[in-house]
Amino acid sequence: MSTPVQTSLASLKASTLKLVGIIAGARLIPAGTGEAHNVLTKQAYTLLGEIVREHEKGDYIPGIVASCSKELLRVRPMTPRVWPNWHSIGHDDPWMSKHAWRTKIHAWEALGDHSCDLSVVPDPSTGPLTVDLPSPAPVPPPAPVLPSPPGISGTSGPQMSEFWDKGKGKAVAVNLAPEVEGSRKRKSPMISGHSSQPPKSAMKSRKRAKSTRPVKSAPVVKSEDEEDTR
């Protein structure tokens, strides 16, 4: 290998190591720190431009240089502005197999110099998040449904039921529907006009009247023995 080639490779290696330092440092900065990412992006643009101008026509290009160029070109036209995904830049970027510089990349890999290697890593800001959620409260079992008594539900009119009167040997109809207060007046068989027996309240008043009458005592009759003794 001639001296000019060695000199070119030494310059390429030095510039690539600086680029690797920028990428590695940017990976450590939180995504929300816009000013720091802005400064590092400008530094990466400037350094990458120098590498391309000096070594694009040569035979060697490190894979991480081509990967960084691809990522910067991807986010450059985006509006609003988006920072590069520094974690997706690496010497083992699978997209490099289709890059226009793939022959130069293979030539660099053939040199066996791995000092500029920086692998692609997953972006921690886009990884799955583990959230502790409280366990749901147990759902109480539904209240048991009590069966309705026979003859109460199903119709709105008065409902009748029959039972067997053992003493008379007849089926007697009974109204099971409850009467609404004020809708009907209950009639007692004791105050019916066709009954010959007076109501109990009248009988009680008569008894009270009899008990209040004065009781006359019988006249005292003196016996003949009492008169003789006197």
Side-chain angles (χ1 to χ4, degrees), residues 85-180:
N85 182 5
W86 304 103
H87 299 82
S88 67
I89 301 173
H91 74 281
D92 53 355
D93 187 348
W95 189 81
M96 293 302 97
S97 60
K98 300 179 181 179
H99 199 279
W101 295 343
R102 58 184 177 273
T103 56
K104 301 177 185 293
I105 295 171
H106 293 327
W108 175 267
E109 292 174 351
L111 295 175
D113 188 347
H114 301 286
S115 58
C116 299
D117 290 353
L118 185 65
S119 300
V120 175
V121 293
D123 187 354
S125 61
T126 59
L129 299 178
T130 304
V131 181
D132 258 346
L133 295 177
S135 57
V139 180
V145 179
L146 299 178
S148 301
I152 296 301
S153 61
T155 58
S156 59
Q159 298 164 9
M160 308 297 293
S161 178
E162 292 183 358
F163 68 91
W164 190 258
D165 191 344
K166 295 182 179 180
K168 298 181 180 180
K170 296 180 181 180
V172 182
V174 180
N175 188 359
L176 298 179
E179 292 184 359
V180 181

Side-chain angles (χ1 to χ4, degrees), residues 22-96:
I22 294 173
I23 297 169
R27 288 181 178 183
L28 302 176
I29 299 174
T33 314
E35 185 62 29
H37 282 285
N38 184 32
V39 172
L40 293 174
T41 301
K42 289 180 179 180
Q43 292 178 0
Y45 269 119
T46 302
L47 187 57
L48 187 63
E50 294 176 0
I51 294 173
V52 171
R53 283 193 302 269
E54 294 179 9
H55 303 281
E56 184 180 12
K57 295 181 180 179
D59 297 329
Y60 306 95
I61 291 289
I64 195 168
V65 173
S67 178
C68 184
S69 174
K70 181 259 301 181
E71 179 62 17
L72 294 180
L73 291 175
R74 182 186 71 85
V75 301
R76 187 173 185 176
M78 289 185 178
T79 304
R81 192 170 186 180
V82 178
W83 308 121
N85 182 5
W86 304 103
H87 299 82
S88 67
I89 301 173
H91 74 281
D92 53 355
D93 187 348
W95 189 81
M96 293 302 97

